[in-house]
Amino acid sequence: TPDGSIAYYEACRNRVEEFPTDPNGGTSVTLDDDDFGEVVLSNDANILFYGNRYDRFYICSNGYITFGSSDTESSGTLKNHFNMPRISGLFADLNPSDGGYISYKQFEDRMAVTFEDVPLSGAPTTKNSFQIEMFFDDGTICITWLKVEPAVSVAGLSRGRGLPPVFFE
């Protein structure tokens, strides 16, 4: 949640058993390995992220959303995560062309992007399921992880100005 601090957002953690937003009926996004798709918001909606409003975003097959431009980087390092405005649900070398499902749903108050059972590249039996919700009015971001496989990865938010002096690890 935006809190006015130097980090801009405050982290909050809760245990969950299911996604807050049911992904059923969402718009499917078909992505290959190291691929992206652009999503343009409808009904004049926009996402408030680090004080900037965006009317579109990019879903990358490697488990993240970017703003302003697309990215297909597959190496989930802190340097790569923080190099552009990004929400990393699970920034890792994922490969949805080996299985799983990526979708999005727009509501009046938010956008939800869901990765369901998306495997790690080279490991088609692994299953990673997480959801990113972006609330339009106040800029709240909710990342929900149901199942993630161990991998070199990053999760969190990036303003896009390089590695910040203060971040939650």
Side-chain angles (χ1 to χ4, degrees):
T1 305
D3 67 354
S5 70
I6 191 168
Y8 201 87
Y9 286 91
E10 175 185 25
C12 175
R13 297 186 289 186
N14 296 310
R15 290 197 177 277
V16 298
E17 299 295 322
E18 60 187 24
F19 289 131
T21 298
D22 183 356
N24 289 320
T27 301
S28 177
V29 181
T30 303
L31 298 175
D32 291 323
D33 190 25
D34 303 334
D35 196 8
F36 73 91
E38 180 183 42
V39 177
V40 178
L41 300 170
S42 61
N43 302 324
D44 294 322
N46 55 63
I47 295 166
L48 179 62
F49 188 62
Y50 282 104
N52 296 307
R53 293 205 173 268
Y54 298 92
D55 66 352
R56 68 194 64 221
F57 60 92
Y58 303 87
I59 300 172
C60 179
S61 61
N62 291 314
Y64 55 80
I65 292 168
T66 59
F67 298 95
S69 64
S70 62
D71 189 25
T72 57
E73 180 59 56
S74 63
S75 179
T77 66
L78 289 175
K79 180 181 175 189
N80 289 337
H81 168 73
F82 284 111
N83 73 355
M84 64 187 307
R86 182 187 322 264
I87 301 171
S88 295
L90 181 68
F91 186 165
D93 192 5
L94 302 178
N95 188 355
S97 62
D98 279 346
Y101 184 72
I102 302 172
S103 65
Y104 66 88
K105 274 176 114 170
Q106 183 173 336
F107 298 87
E108 285 186 25
D109 65 335
R110 71 191 181 284
M111 174 65 77
V113 176
T114 307
F115 286 67
E116 293 181 87
D117 298 329
V118 178
L120 294 167
S121 187
T125 61
T126 60
K127 309 252 188 240
N128 296 282
S129 296
F130 54 93
Q131 184 176 78
I132 301 168
E133 292 175 297
M134 301 166 281
F135 289 81
F136 300 141
D137 289 339
D138 67 356
T140 294
I141 308 294
C142 181
I143 305 173
T144 302
W145 299 275
L146 292 187
K147 178 177 172 65
V148 293
E149 297 288 337
V152 174
S153 62
V154 175
L157 310 178
S158 166
R159 185 182 296 229
R161 297 181 181 167
L163 194 64
V166 176
F167 64 96
F168 176 67
E169 184 172 10

